[in-house]
Amino acid sequence: MVIELITYIVRFLLIILIQLLVVNNIELSTYVNPYMYILFILTLPISMKPWVVVLISFFTGMVMDTFSSTPGLHMAATGFMGYIRGFYLQFSCSKEDFAGRIEPSISKKGIVWFIVYMTILTLLHHVFLFYLEIYSFKEFFRTLWRILSSTFFTVLIITLGQLLFYRNAKT
Amino acid sequence: MRNLIFFFYKYYTFILFFFLELFSFVVLYQYNNYQKASFLNFTGGISSSFYESINSTTNYFGLRNINDSLLAENASLRSQMMNAYYQSGTTQTSINDTVYKQQYSYISANVVNNSVTKRNNYITIDKGAMHGIEPDMGVISSNGVVGIVTSVSLHFATIRSALNGNTKISCMLKKNNAFGSLEWNGDDPKFSSLKYVNKHVPITSNDEVVTSNYSTLFPEGIPVGQVYSHSLDAGDNFHVIKVNLYTDFSTLKNVYVIKNIFKDEQQTLEGNLKGGN
């Protein structure tokens, strides 16, 4: 239990650091702003109580807000995603998944399930985040395009990361 | 009563979610509306000191470019100095000139965190309230306009850069003093757009855009950029002008914060006017 907690803390710090120091510095275009830090929320165990996930989501968002001078923005978006995650898992996972401490990953649930899961929740997060950042529907289509391309890159980074690092650790 | 308790028990996740979401919206709304509510003070400048320690390492990679730009600036400043005009160097301190009273003073600072690809970009610098920086001060680099200070902690300050949807900088065309407002549409960090320039004003490409004298944040005539392209839609009263910004935001390292000594006086006067009506 303690080891598990330490693993999560280390993973949390690593993901936040990668987001801040590497991914935030990708300056491809103003239309590509991947936020892969949501990976931490998405790979929490399936059986984890929803209210714990919601709390952790808000905390993660708060940490991101602190480092990007956008108070409340990431907190609202990530919290929303963490809340929706519970419903999505209930709808798409079997009873056995909830019994053990299985984490949603490619090796456990298969690549198709994983990518669909990632895309839907990342899209929800990004839609919430980007429209809240603009605070109006004035630039509706431009923002939509920004959301779609950012979602694509977020899912790409997360999936590649999973294929590179998680597979060895889990087998 | 029992039903109520049962309700809370059944939906506690939703209730938790609801209140936290409410909290984040309140924080978001407060910060967007009142610049006095300093988020930087709220977080105690944790992020700024983190970025500063990262920056002290990454700064080494850009030393050559920084040196070059500083040398160029030194050279241009040296040529403006009094002793470039052959004058014996007697003391120049505390001359109370009654004709030319100093209105603007400059505080130099280093950029510790910056972004250019977000819709709303912010810059963090390593000078704060301790060095005399306050919210709503203008910020420039050696090339041109950078942005406006939004919040200040003891040692750090965050700047809303010109590449931000909420930043509007009062500008004018240098050749005929036609006013406009510089606003970024979020497309390309090299270009911004100048809005509300009347259609009767003649415009050609490469016209220089500078800050106007309407703003209390910037002195008049700070360079902003050059007109890159311009068009006029039929039935529209204003030009659509694309401005090529002089400041290269992606390599920004040294900036100057502008302190307007007469700002309070001007704003109190204008405030009185509004109150009187």
Side-chain angles (χ1 to χ4, degrees), chain A residues 30-31 66-67 83 142 146, chain B residues 14 47 51 119 185-187:
Chain A
T30 49
Y31 289 93
T66 318
F67 286 100
Y83 182 63
R142 192 177 281 164
R146 191 171 275 149
Chain B
F14 176 75
S47 61
Y51 281 123
R119 180 62 185 91
N185 59 11
D187 259 346

Side-chain angles (χ1 to χ4, degrees), chain B:
Chain B
M1 193 62 203
R2 209 151 107 215
N3 282 339
L4 191 71
I5 292 170
F6 182 71
F7 175 81
F8 279 125
Y9 180 71
K10 199 175 172 194
Y11 295 106
Y12 60 96
T13 309
F14 176 75
I15 291 164
L16 182 74
F17 164 74
F18 180 78
F19 277 105
L20 287 172
E21 197 77 359
L22 203 68
F23 171 71
S24 40
F25 271 100
V26 167
V27 175
L28 188 74
Y29 185 77
Q30 283 262 330
Y31 183 73
N32 274 348
N33 279 276
Y34 306 103
Q35 299 189 341
K36 297 284 183 294
S38 163
F39 184 64
L40 208 60
N41 273 331
F42 177 64
T43 58
I46 309 165
S47 61
S48 316
S49 38
F50 168 77
Y51 281 123
E52 200 189 23
S53 59
I54 297 299
N55 219 40
S56 62
T57 321
T58 52
N59 250 345
Y60 284 104
F61 300 120
L63 272 187
R64 179 182 287 269
N65 289 331
I66 296 170
N67 275 344
D68 284 349
S69 70
L70 287 179
L71 277 177
E73 200 187 356
N74 267 350
S76 76
L77 287 177
R78 228 171 243 285
S79 64
Q80 289 172 23
M81 265 171 75
M82 269 316 193
N83 56 18
Y85 296 100
Y86 187 71
Q87 196 186 43
S88 58
T90 51
T91 175
Q92 294 183 357
T93 50
S94 72
I95 297 169
N96 195 3
D97 195 329
T98 48
V99 182
Y100 293 102
K101 210 166 174 70
Q102 187 176 20
Q103 188 182 0
Y104 297 99
S105 67
Y106 295 80
I107 305 159
S108 81
N110 290 318
V111 173
V112 293
N113 185 35
N114 187 8
S115 70
V116 294
T117 55
K118 308 267 186 299
R119 180 62 185 91
N120 292 326
N121 295 293
Y122 291 89
I123 300 169
T124 313
I125 57 171
D126 65 348
K127 294 279 163 67
M130 214 172 85
H131 311 91
I133 293 175
E134 291 162 17
D136 290 332
M137 281 182 171
V139 182
I140 59 170
S141 72
S142 49
N143 297 326
V145 164
V146 171
I148 298 162
V149 176
T150 48
S151 58
V152 177
S153 72
L154 198 58
H155 296 103
F156 298 97
T158 51
I159 299 164
R160 214 157 20 128
S161 87
L163 308 180
N164 186 312
N166 301 319
T167 310
K168 295 182 176 76
I169 297 172
S170 172
C171 291
M172 63 184 184
L173 294 168
K174 197 178 184 181
K175 64 169 184 184
N176 53 18
N177 297 0
F179 290 106
S181 170
L182 191 79
E183 291 169 25
W184 192 52
N185 59 11
D187 259 346
D188 191 333
K190 289 191 177 63
F191 298 99
S192 187
S193 49
L194 188 63
K195 290 183 174 167
Y196 312 119
V197 176
N198 251 317
K199 66 175 174 185
H200 62 76
V201 176
I203 289 175
T204 49
S205 290
N206 297 336
D207 276 353
E208 201 175 358
V209 179
V210 296
T211 55
S212 79
N213 48 357
Y214 280 4
S215 162
T216 55
L217 306 173
F218 298 99
E220 185 184 342
I222 299 276
V224 174
Q226 270 184 336
V227 174
Y228 181 78
S229 66
H230 59 96
S231 61
L232 187 60
D233 293 337
D236 208 344
N237 272 329
F238 302 110
H239 284 286
V240 179
I241 306 171
K242 197 174 177 188
V243 180
N244 190 352
L245 294 170
Y246 285 142
T247 311
D248 185 358
F249 284 88
S250 55
T251 59
L252 202 62
K253 285 289 178 197
N254 305 94
V255 294
Y256 301 97
V257 182
I258 304 171
K259 188 183 174 75
N260 183 351
I261 294 161
F262 296 155
K263 184 177 145 191
D264 283 345
E265 192 181 329
Q266 188 179 344
Q267 284 189 336
T268 327
L269 187 67
E270 288 171 357
N272 284 345
L273 201 67
K274 276 175 201 142
N277 286 341

Side-chain angles (χ1 to χ4, degrees), chain A residues 126-137:
Chain A
H126 283 24
V127 166
F128 205 102
L129 183 82
F130 282 71
Y131 278 118
L132 202 61
E133 188 182 19
I134 305 293
Y135 221 63
S136 76
F137 290 110

Side-chain angles (χ1 to χ4, degrees), chain A residues 13 48 51 54 57 66 68 102 121 133 150 153 159 166 170:
Chain A
L13 291 177
M48 195 177 246
W51 68 270
V54 167
S57 305
T66 318
S68 51
I102 296 173
L121 288 176
E133 188 182 19
S150 296
F153 276 92
T159 313
Y166 272 64
K170 289 293 152 197

